Amino acid sequence: MTRKAGCTVNRVNNARVAKGIQGVGSVDILIGIAKGAGSHKAKGRVLDNADLAYIHEKGTDSIPPRPFLSEGVAAQRDLIKEGFHKSAMAALKGDLYQSGLVLDQMAQSVSDGVRTYVQSDANLEPIKPESLVARAAQRGTKLASVEAQVKKLMKQGKRERAAEVASGERPLINTGDLIKSVRGFVVKR
C-alpha cells in the first residue's frame, strides 16, 4: 500500500484479476435436461426426458408448445443478473474459487426456479380432456370416474383449463420425472 497526495493505492495481483475476469467471461450457464435422463415409451418409441422437454418446449402437430424451460429461465432474469454480478466482483478481487462457486450456485438456483415456475400457475397451454383421460389410464386410475368428471366439467361450460384444475392435473407434471430432470450446468468454453 502506497500513500500519495491523500490517495491510497493498493497493489493488486493484476494477472490473477485478469485471469478471474477472463474465467467469468469464458463459461456458459446451461439450464436444461441432460440427454439420456429418464426414459418413456410413446407411440412405439423410447424417448428420454431431453426429448420430451424439446417436444413440450416446441410442440408438435398434436401437442401444443409449452415453453417451460425458456420461460422458466426468463422468469429468473434478476437472479441471473445478480449471480453474474457477484461472480464478477469476486473475480475482480482475485477470488477465483468464490467466483466459480457463485456461478455453480446460480446455475442450481435457476434450475430450481424453473421447477418452481412449472409447479406454479405458469401460463402453460392446458391439458386436453382426452389427455387427462389417457393419463388416468396410464396410471391405472379408474377411467370411468376421471372421464365422467372431465365430461361433467366440460358440459358445465368449463373450458379445458378449468377441467384440468378441477381434476388436479397440471401440464408437464405426470410422474414428475421430467421436471425433476431439470439441472443447471456451468460449462467452460
Side-chain angles (χ1 to χ4, degrees):
M1 184 163 48
T2 311
R3 285 191 159 272
K4 291 184 180 180
C7 295
T8 302
V9 177
N10 291 323
R11 295 194 190 276
V12 177
N13 183 342
N14 290 336
R16 190 169 180 191
V17 170
K19 185 177 178 184
I21 293 170
Q22 183 181 13
V24 172
S26 65
V27 297
D28 290 320
I29 308 298
L30 305 177
I31 308 300
I33 298 173
K35 190 76 178 144
S39 75
H40 309 271
K41 285 187 178 184
K43 297 183 181 180
R45 292 179 30 199
V46 176
L47 303 172
D48 66 17
N49 285 334
D51 296 326
L52 289 178
Y54 182 83
I55 289 167
H56 285 296
E57 189 78 13
K58 301 297 182 183
T60 67
D61 291 340
S62 59
I63 298 172
R66 294 184 176 103
F68 70 102
L69 282 170
S70 56
E71 290 183 13
V73 169
Q76 309 304 311
R77 186 169 291 134
D78 291 341
L79 182 83
I80 294 167
K81 285 179 186 176
E82 180 183 337
F84 276 120
H85 175 77
K86 285 181 179 178
S87 178
M89 294 308 292
L92 285 171
K93 292 177 184 174
D95 191 344
L96 306 182
Y97 176 78
Q98 182 64 26
S99 177
L101 184 63
V102 168
L103 292 175
D104 286 337
Q105 290 170 340
M106 178 182 63
Q108 180 61 46
S109 295
V110 172
S111 65
D112 289 344
V114 169
R115 285 191 291 278
T116 300
Y117 173 82
V118 171
Q119 293 167 346
S120 71
D121 195 18
N123 192 22
L124 300 172
E125 186 73 25
I127 304 170
K128 294 177 184 172
E130 312 84 66
S131 297
L132 292 172
V133 173
R135 275 189 180 186
Q138 182 184 24
R139 291 184 186 152
T141 307
K142 291 182 181 178
L143 266 178
S145 64
V146 173
E147 201 168 37
Q149 181 184 9
V150 170
K151 284 181 179 177
K152 179 182 172 188
L153 291 165
M154 295 301 282
K155 281 182 182 176
Q156 292 172 355
K158 296 192 177 184
R159 299 198 179 270
E160 291 173 350
R161 174 65 87 189
E164 171 190 297
V165 170
S167 69
E169 296 291 332
R170 306 205 42 92
L172 305 174
I173 303 175
N174 188 5
T175 64
D177 289 344
L178 175 66
I179 302 310
K180 289 176 191 169
S181 299
V182 175
R183 296 282 182 267
F185 306 93
V186 178
V187 179
K188 292 185 180 182
R189 290 187 211 140

